[in-house]
Amino acid sequence: MKLVVIAGPPSAGKTAVVRQILRNLGTGEKAAYLKIDVVRAFEDEELATEFSIPTRKVYSGDLCPDHAGIMVMADALRWAEKEEASILIVESAGLCLRCSPYVTQALGIVVLSAVSGTHAPLKMGPMIGLADVAVVTRIDLVSQAEKEVFREGIREVAPEIEIVETNAVQGTGMRYLLRRIAEADEVRDAATVELRGVPPLGVCTVCVGKKEIGWQHHFGVVRRLGDAGNLFRGD
Amino acid sequence: MDLQVTEITVLPGRDKNGETEHFDRIVIRPGETLAIVGPTGSGKSAFINDIEVFARDDTVTGRTVLVNGAIPPDDYVRDPAKKPIALITQNTKCLADLKVAAFLEMHVRSRKIEGDEIISETIALANEFTGEKITPGARMTSLSGGQTRSLMVADAILVGSTPVIILDEVENAGIFKDRVIEVLRRYQKAVVFVTHDPLVALMCDRRVVMRNGTVVRVIEHTDSEDEALSAVKKMDGILCRLRERIRAGEAITGGVQAV
């Protein structure tokens, strides 16, 4: 079974990309779909109705959605296996851009909107840097020069990443993404799947319920991805 | 740029009822102009999008687009530096949050073009197309529709240097359209206009007539339309001058003079 992890900021067109993948999968393929979100999600119900595939969703609630994804990934693989799926598509909530939800033995896809501004790629380092493919949506809304400048922004973050430009509603350019999925490896051993990047090491006092403002009320260790230095403030 | 691109061929797809479209092939060559006409919703945008993505029976229309008579290599679609087509969209709200010079600089850099003159040349060419002067320090997001469109056309000619340019409703932007057509001809571009404008449509070498998602007719420009064309040119001249007077805040009293 193949594992495809789809990430990207809210409203970038992740579900539209999932729809195109499902619509164009080969006849021998059977997909399963898992949506990870914080409080509400409808994609699982919509896609189950539309494509008659097994779907699930997980609400992370107080936990960050990428963390929730890590917790449930092994269970999700077992579930998809039981459903006899040949491909499991996991769509993240795409909220926090400090870490990335991609795991090993999977194909990591980041979805970005061409209309999100030149600096958008620079603002989501790990989400792009650790992905295999960047899918740029709403490409029909920008002119050629803008496309190229947006591409340049992505390449600044990830020089080697494969870029697929698409109007995800129409599905133009999707053949390149489908080809990449067709060529992707299978999950070899679900027990050894792990995160690709080192997540930020954070102990957040807000998450444990402290409401006071100011350094003196809070403590924590914050380390950014790919950054060896620690920042420690408060007690 | 790939100088070897000598023609783009559009092969027929299917209309909304699954019937094959009524044309053999539509070929566009450098220096030629093609107008796509038809009512709103008739499939004009789908037609140019097919060309732009080099459709291979993988879009809703089922059309196929060839370059020099063959399926183009992947590079033509995926590597912007090798892509022979630039589409200037109707949505002129440029979304890049950069200053004009920085935007062009980034594009020039992505194309690995040497020398700085190209940026000022591009801005100067863009200023030939628009009455409102574009400055290098202006923010892309603050440009008007006409300014953005002018800049994108100039960029496609000089920076992108693509042999084929597609313009979606150039007339809507308050841009000197006859000047654009003249410059594109001078640079030997193959140009596709999606247009509702009689002058742009009649000036083109051919008109592709769309209806209900499909090509219903291709009209070659012949001498028989020259009389109409020169009449439309006159009318357009009148309207242009009138537009300038109205923009300048004049009260328009009495009749409108032809000369």
Side-chain angles (χ1 to χ4, degrees):
Chain A
M1 185 176 61
K2 283 175 187 173
L3 175 58
V4 174
V5 180
I6 299 190
S11 303
K14 294 187 290 296
T15 311
V17 170
V18 171
R19 276 200 172 85
Q20 287 297 342
I21 294 172
L22 293 174
R23 203 165 288 153
N24 294 294
L25 273 183
T27 42
E29 303 276 0
K30 186 187 172 189
Y33 171 85
L34 169 68
K35 170 75 189 183
I36 298 167
D37 218 312
V38 182
V39 281
R40 288 303 291 276
F42 312 94
E43 292 86 346
D44 59 318
E45 294 154 40
E46 291 168 12
L47 296 175
T49 316
E50 232 174 296
F51 296 98
S52 311
I53 54 164
T55 66
R56 298 281 293 265
K57 73 181 145 208
V58 168
Y59 291 141
S60 64
D62 288 342
L63 193 60
C64 100
D66 283 352
H67 192 160
I70 298 159
M71 308 298 278
V72 303
M73 193 65 82
D75 298 338
L77 282 163
R78 271 195 293 277
W79 162 73
E81 195 85 45
K82 226 171 74 191
E83 294 284 350
E84 293 176 338
S86 59
I87 177 170
L88 168 61
I89 300 173
V90 178
E91 183 183 329
S92 87
L95 298 179
C96 162
L97 305 171
R98 289 194 306 156
C99 70
S100 87
Y102 314 115
V103 293
T104 54
Q105 304 178 45
L107 183 71
I109 300 174
V110 60
V111 179
L112 298 147
S113 165
V115 301
S116 57
T118 327
H119 299 309
L122 305 177
K123 293 175 183 172
M124 45 183 107
M127 201 181 255
I128 296 174
L130 294 171
D132 300 297
V133 186
V135 177
V136 182
T137 58
R138 302 200 179 90
I139 206 71
D140 52 315
L141 297 184
V142 297
S143 293
Q144 184 61 31
E146 294 172 277
K147 281 176 207 172
E148 291 177 37
V149 166
F150 194 75
R151 259 181 112 87
E152 188 68 7
I154 296 173
R155 292 251 187 252
E156 247 174 68
V157 181
E160 302 296 328
I161 199 166
E162 181 167 357
I163 297 173
V164 175
E165 295 174 336
T166 184
N167 163 355
V169 177
Q170 303 271 346
T172 53
M174 271 294 163
R175 58 182 182 254
Y176 301 106
L177 183 66
L178 293 162
R179 188 196 292 168
R180 186 66 189 256
I181 291 171
E183 288 165 356
D185 289 334
E186 308 254 321
V187 175
R188 292 178 302 282
D189 178 2
T192 61
V193 168
E194 56 178 30
L195 270 184
R196 278 193 198 174
V198 181
L201 176 63
V203 181
C204 177
T205 44
V206 175
C207 279
V208 300
K210 280 179 83 77
K211 292 164 84 176
E212 297 89 345
I213 62 162
W215 290 104
Q216 68 275 23
H217 299 294
H218 296 268
F219 56 88
V221 181
V222 181
R223 194 182 71 181
R224 291 173 311 198
L225 193 77
D227 184 344
N230 288 342
L231 172 69
F232 177 78
R233 294 295 295 266
D235 181 14
Chain B
M1 170 176 86
D2 193 333
L3 289 164
Q4 302 307 310
V5 173
T6 52
E7 58 179 45
I8 303 273
T9 308
V10 183
L11 298 177
R14 296 170 293 275
D15 67 15
K16 286 174 183 167
N17 304 319
E19 304 281 327
T20 305
E21 286 181 284
H22 297 285
F23 66 92
D24 265 353
R25 51 181 55 217
I26 294 168
V27 182
I28 315 154
R29 295 188 183 84
E32 286 185 347
T33 47
L34 186 73
I36 317 289
V37 299
T40 304
S42 60
K44 300 188 294 298
S45 296
F47 189 91
I48 53 169
N49 281 326
D50 283 344
I51 300 178
E52 211 246 339
V53 301
F54 301 100
R56 210 188 290 179
D57 194 5
D58 60 351
T59 62
V60 282
T61 64
R63 295 195 189 103
T64 298
V65 174
L66 307 175
V67 178
N68 297 346
I71 298 276
D74 268 6
D75 272 3
Y76 277 21
V77 192
R78 309 203 67 193
D79 181 352
K82 293 194 179 126
K83 185 175 168 184
I85 290 175
L87 169 66
I88 316 294
T89 53
Q90 207 184 130
N91 302 287
T92 49
K93 207 75 228 131
C94 211
L95 295 135
D97 30 20
L98 296 170
K99 290 184 174 168
V100 170
F103 176 85
L104 292 173
E105 225 168 79
M106 205 157 161
H107 191 201
V108 165
R109 192 167 68 228
S110 79
R111 289 280 180 146
K112 298 181 178 59
I113 299 169
E114 301 291 325
D116 292 336
E117 322 76 67
I118 192 162
I119 292 170
S120 47
E121 280 167 21
T122 304
I123 296 171
L125 182 61
N127 280 326
E128 286 188 38
F129 302 143
T130 171
E132 323 144 87
K133 199 169 162 50
I134 303 164
T135 59
R139 290 216 162 262
M140 293 293 288
T141 43
S142 71
L143 299 185
S144 72
Q147 287 175 314
T148 314
R149 204 90 63 104
S150 300
L151 191 66
M152 292 296 120
V153 174
D155 174 282
I157 295 171
L158 296 176
V159 183
S161 188
T162 48
V164 184
I165 294 179
I166 306 174
L167 286 159
D168 199 352
E169 293 192 30
V170 67
E171 69 269 14
N172 278 354
I175 182 169
F176 303 142
K177 56 204 174 202
D178 46 342
R179 187 91 188 92
V180 173
I181 296 174
E182 185 195 311
V183 169
L184 291 171
R185 280 214 173 114
R186 186 178 357 122
Y187 279 93
Q188 275 294 299
K189 302 292 174 190
V191 191
V192 179
F193 292 98
V194 169
T195 189
H196 295 290
D197 185 86
L199 179 62
V200 175
L202 289 173
M203 276 181 85
C204 285
D205 300 318
R206 264 173 304 156
R207 291 206 293 285
V208 173
V209 184
M210 308 285 310
R211 199 170 301 143
N212 200 23
T214 180
V215 173
V216 288
R217 219 179 146 191
V218 181
I219 301 171
E220 293 279 336
H221 177 84
T222 59
D223 301 348
S224 61
E225 284 187 338
D226 280 354
E227 199 184 329
L229 176 58
S230 64
V232 172
K233 269 188 183 155
K234 266 195 207 111
M235 288 184 234
D236 194 67
I238 297 168
L239 286 175
C240 277
R241 281 188 295 277
L242 192 57
R243 193 176 298 127
E244 288 312 307
R245 286 175 60 198
I246 289 171
R247 286 170 90 174
E250 275 182 49
I252 310 298
T253 50
V256 175
Q257 296 303 310
V259 183

